[in-house]
Amino acid sequence: MMSNLSQPTIAAFVPMRHSSERVIGKNYRLFAGKPLYHYIVESLLNCPQITQVCIDTDSPNIIEDAQQNFPNVKVLLRPEHLRSGMTPMNDVLLNSVSQVEADYYLQTHSTNPLLKSATISQAIDLFVKSPDYDSLFGVTRLQTRLYDSEGKAINHDPNILLRTQDLPPVYEENSNIYIFTKTILEERKNRIGYQPLMFEIGRDEAWDIDEEVDFRIAELLYKTRQESLNS
């Protein structure tokens, strides 16, 4: 039950493993002068709707750095059996929600450094004001010609060459933001519920770092944004 109808409690989780396969040490690697994970944590701390920010990690580097730089952030030590790169994120989150009480839970990643506090707040407000939905997840609009592995068109008729901007949009789950309840996570073993609300985020803000090229592009986009703000 919600603790306060007008101001629900919201706990935000940032899960981070110490090791990563494709971009070594990416969670704490320097990005535009600061460890990568600082950007999303700062964005979350600047959201007035968020009651508690939590880092779930097995990284001694992140634990030590977070204690020094983010004393108000709760650090959850990830247990041994959940540290494999093959462990589903939903299993990690089930462990996290068992340790932190809240009306709603929000999860994002350190690999989304361009995600703004205002966008997170907008997603929260939209979800809280949308009682017909039981969860929310971030998406990126795609208007491009897509094909399946057998070469069959997915979202267009190859015999009618529409301009890409005139194609009906499809949406990619971008992993930037999820909002859900403990009940939904426990029942479905999934962050996405029975009636999810898709929340669109612009491509330039939704950039997710999976590979080295993503790191470099995201860093360039961030520096360009800062130069524009300072000009």
Side-chain angles (χ1 to χ4, degrees):
M1 179 176 294
M2 191 177 297
S3 60
N4 185 314
L5 290 176
S6 61
Q7 294 182 322
T9 55
I10 300 173
F13 294 122
V14 185
M16 292 180 280
R17 293 173 57 243
H18 180 71
S19 60
S20 54
E21 289 78 18
R22 287 176 288 185
V23 183
I24 303 301
K26 66 180 178 183
N27 292 319
Y28 45 87
R29 176 175 161 182
L30 289 184
F31 176 98
K34 293 190 295 188
L36 177 64
Y37 86 93
H38 279 214
Y39 295 88
I40 195 63
V41 170
E42 289 168 356
S43 292
L44 293 169
L45 289 171
N46 286 323
C47 289
Q49 303 97 322
I50 293 176
T51 312
Q52 175 72 69
V53 177
C54 306
I55 290 172
D56 173 287
T57 189
D58 66 328
S59 173
N61 300 45
I62 293 172
I63 292 170
E64 180 180 359
D65 185 81
Q67 288 172 341
Q68 294 177 359
N69 291 284
F70 303 110
N72 294 327
V73 169
K74 185 179 181 67
V75 177
L76 306 175
L77 180 62
R78 188 175 303 186
E80 288 281 354
H81 70 282
L82 295 176
R83 294 181 183 180
S84 167
M86 302 302 292
T87 301
M89 179 53 60
N90 293 310
D91 290 348
V92 173
L93 289 172
L94 282 166
N95 177 68
S96 296
V97 301
S98 71
Q99 302 176 67
V100 181
E101 287 295 326
D103 296 316
Y104 298 123
Y105 297 94
L106 184 151
Q107 186 247 316
T108 182
H109 291 284
S110 63
T111 51
N112 307 137
L114 302 174
L115 186 60
K116 301 174 184 176
S117 297
T119 303
I120 300 169
S121 288
Q122 183 183 357
I124 293 170
D125 288 343
L126 180 63
F127 177 68
V128 170
K129 295 174 182 176
S130 304
D132 292 337
Y133 298 96
D134 60 8
S135 55
L136 175 148
F137 67 102
V139 296
T140 304
R141 177 193 295 252
L142 295 178
Q143 284 179 281
T144 187
R145 300 182 185 93
L146 300 175
Y147 295 82
D148 66 16
S149 61
E150 297 179 352
K152 295 178 181 178
I154 293 173
N155 66 330
H156 67 287
D157 182 347
N159 297 314
I160 303 175
L161 192 60
L162 292 175
R163 299 182 305 169
T164 53
Q165 61 264 42
D166 294 330
L167 289 171
V170 294
Y171 295 89
E172 174 189 10
E173 181 182 343
N174 59 34
S175 298
N176 270 237
I177 186 170
Y178 300 88
I179 304 175
F180 51 92
T181 63
K182 185 176 183 179
T183 299
I184 285 297
L185 184 65
E186 290 179 342
E187 286 184 1
R188 288 183 55 80
K189 304 297 187 287
N190 199 317
R191 300 165 288 193
I192 299 176
Y194 303 99
Q195 296 290 333
L197 174 61
M198 294 196 305
F199 180 76
E200 186 175 342
I201 304 172
R203 180 175 299 280
D204 59 338
E205 188 178 349
W207 204 278
D208 185 58
I209 298 174
D210 280 328
E211 300 180 355
E212 182 64 31
V213 65
D214 299 320
F215 196 102
R216 295 183 182 184
I217 292 172
E219 190 171 37
L220 176 61
L221 289 171
Y222 177 81
K223 289 178 178 179
T224 301
R225 179 200 284 177
Q226 294 305 111
E227 289 172 3
S228 177
L229 290 174
N230 295 331
S231 63

